Amino acid sequence: MNRRELLAVAGMLGLAPTLARAAGQGGDATAARDAYLYTLPLIEMATARERILKIPGAAINTLRHTRTLSDHTARWVTTPNNDTLYSPAFLDLTKGPVTLTIPPMGKRYYSAAVMDMFTNNNVVLSTRTVGGEGGTFTLVGPGQASTGPNPTRIATPHAWLLIRTLTDGGDDLDATHKSQDGFKLTGPAGAPTATYANRDAKPADYFAAARALLASDPAPPTDQRILRRTGAFLGDGSFDEAAAAAGVEQARTIAVFAKDRMVFTGGWSYPRANLGDYGQDYLYRAIVAQQGLGALPVAEAMYMKAAGDNGAGVFTGDGLYRLTLPAQLPLDGFWSLSMYEATADGQFFFTDNPLKRYAIGDRTAGLKRNADATLDLWIGRTDPGGERTPNWLPAPKAGPFAMYLRAYLPRAEFLDGRFRLPAIVKA
């Protein structure tokens, strides 16, 4: 990220005074800031890998299936979805390729995303790209040769495979589990992984971890410019610890401010076109790694957050809200509107409610449509009653809340902005 790009983002986020102070601390602090933001995806991926591998039965190059949808008790990751079951596996390709077999899925939606350690989606094998017939794919690391079927090149020696399988829950779970069990991952046993410092570590520990991760999973040739500029912190040798501390403080300030400074258009925030495949947009990549690790590319799914009462993504009212949607959204998959209670530290989780309904969408049974086939969704802390109850998305009994709408397999008019969601309004 060059100075002009950073100043533009700083202006949007209200960070110009912070960066002005940073300028007085010299180029070393600026390089430390950029080094932190550049390597934050590596750190977040290593942290996620360590956390998942602590789960009993989890191992490198081994799929682990979740069997139930998230509910109000699920607090292990912010903004969970209530549409799909996950099957994650961290990959080690250093000893050779691994083979992923996707079973015939018919009309059931699935996606198998393989992200390199910089969080770019190198490939998404899905209903959209592969189809319902399934197939076998050989995941190949850098510099490796493969004679396996459908060789698929991964940019780093280590990676994260994250499979999402659509389920309606309830009576559909058994069939969903059978579909999950059809996914097979075979290959050499992975080597044990090291433990690395997390994003909140002391600057010296953070940069030591970043250097080790870059050695394990080297950056692409297209990143040589930023690597040269940040070489004091990401290369060999010692560095100025005062400058490192100043730069890391700047980077963390940027990330914190960005979390609450979303841009809303017509009542919703929309993802950038490069979500999930960031190129050299290192700042956006860092922010997503911290707030939504594992995000799919927009061609696969779009995630929109409602603006809320305060225009910053949070609702606080005790009254009734309404979202009126057209008869058909421009997508080839499915959509859902999820309700989250907001915690004091800025995270979002499902909220307990009498319907045990954490999201509402086009697959929700019993929805009542208007005469013109449009759909009124009613949102509030109490049951709106009568004909509105089937279309009720319960809000928390008290406290602030937020809503996200997920749209899978969006069409061109959704992707390019010709279609915009109607705003959520007070009823």
Side-chain angles (χ1 to χ4, degrees):
M1 87 202 65
N2 61 38
R3 178 177 174 79
R4 180 179 297 176
E5 292 169 338
L6 190 64
L7 288 175
V9 173
M12 181 182 71
L13 300 178
L15 294 176
T18 298
L19 295 189
R21 291 192 299 271
Q25 296 170 331
D28 284 350
T30 299
R33 175 200 67 203
D34 292 351
Y36 179 97
L37 293 170
Y38 177 79
T39 55
L40 185 58
L42 287 166
I43 295 289
E44 292 297 297
M45 288 283 275
T47 300
R49 179 174 60 191
E50 181 180 353
R51 183 171 62 245
I52 288 175
L53 290 178
K54 288 180 179 179
I55 299 173
I60 293 290
N61 291 347
T62 302
L63 279 171
R64 178 184 175 275
H65 304 298
T66 59
R67 298 302 201 182
T68 58
L69 286 169
S70 297
D71 60 15
H72 65 282
T73 65
R75 301 276 160 151
W76 62 280
V77 64
T78 186
T79 58
N81 84 50
N82 197 244
D83 302 309
T84 67
L85 300 183
Y86 290 105
S87 301
F90 273 93
L91 308 180
D92 179 358
L93 304 175
T94 60
K95 297 181 180 180
V98 300
T99 300
L100 172 66
T101 298
I102 298 173
M105 297 292 285
K107 295 182 178 180
R108 186 183 297 276
Y109 172 84
Y110 72 93
S111 65
V114 185
M115 290 159 281
D116 63 34
M117 290 297 285
F118 292 88
T119 70
N120 293 299
N121 284 266
N122 290 183
V123 64
V124 180
L125 306 168
S126 67
T127 301
R128 174 179 62 91
T129 59
V130 174
E133 297 81 8
T136 299
F137 303 85
T138 307
L139 307 180
V140 186
Q144 293 179 351
S146 174
T147 58
N150 296 313
T152 303
R153 185 69 61 181
I154 308 303
T156 54
H158 302 88
W160 186 16
L161 167 64
L162 185 58
I163 299 172
R164 296 167 170 90
T165 305
L166 180 65
T167 184
D168 292 335
D171 294 339
D172 187 41
L173 281 175
D174 284 346
T176 309
H177 296 164
K178 290 179 181 178
S179 294
Q180 285 183 294
D181 291 339
F183 287 92
K184 303 295 183 184
L185 189 65
T186 59
T193 59
T195 298
Y196 299 93
N198 63 30
R199 67 172 181 259
D200 297 322
K202 294 179 181 179
D205 295 334
Y206 178 93
F207 287 125
R211 289 178 174 186
L213 287 165
L214 282 170
S216 176
D217 290 279
T222 51
D223 288 355
Q224 290 306 303
R225 182 177 180 181
I226 191 171
L227 290 174
R228 286 194 297 268
R229 187 155 48 80
T230 59
F233 302 94
L234 300 182
D236 296 330
S238 59
F239 52 78
D240 185 330
E241 293 192 7
V248 168
E249 181 183 6
Q250 296 166 36
R252 289 172 177 165
T253 300
I254 289 171
V256 168
F257 270 77
K259 184 176 182 180
D260 298 319
R261 298 295 181 93
M262 305 177 82
V263 177
F264 293 91
T265 302
W268 295 89
S269 69
Y270 292 86
R272 296 186 186 183
N274 60 336
L275 178 67
D277 191 8
Y278 306 95
Q280 293 179 305
D281 193 347
Y282 308 129
L283 179 57
Y284 185 45
R285 186 179 72 180
I287 291 169
V288 175
Q290 183 170 331
Q291 299 176 24
L293 188 69
L296 287 166
V298 293
E300 198 69 33
M302 292 179 66
Y303 313 93
M304 283 71 62
K305 186 179 184 181
D309 297 323
N310 62 356
V314 174
F315 294 83
T316 57
D318 294 329
L320 193 63
Y321 298 85
R322 185 185 74 246
L323 172 61
T324 300
L325 293 174
Q328 177 64 49
L329 296 184
L331 49 83
D332 293 318
F334 58 95
W335 63 266
S336 65
L337 178 69
S338 297
M339 168 65 67
Y340 301 99
E341 59 183 59
T343 65
D345 60 355
Q347 294 191 305
F348 299 96
F349 300 105
F350 291 134
T351 186
D352 195 12
N353 65 86
L355 297 184
K356 302 302 179 187
R357 176 179 284 176
Y358 309 103
I360 193 168
D362 57 0
R363 297 173 297 112
T364 302
L367 291 179
K368 302 290 186 181
R369 290 188 174 268
N370 301 320
D372 60 357
T374 59
L375 185 64
D376 288 330
L377 300 180
W378 302 98
I379 301 138
R381 303 185 193 277
T382 58
D383 188 340
E387 290 292 310
R388 295 177 174 180
T389 297
N391 294 14
W392 175 38
L393 180 61
K397 295 178 181 178
F401 58 94
M403 284 176 277
Y404 283 80
L405 192 143
R406 292 174 170 87
Y408 287 79
L409 307 185
R411 295 177 183 168
E413 57 266 42
F414 215 147
L415 289 166
D416 63 22
R418 283 176 288 160
F419 172 81
R420 293 298 192 187
L421 293 166
I424 294 175
V425 298
K426 292 183 177 179

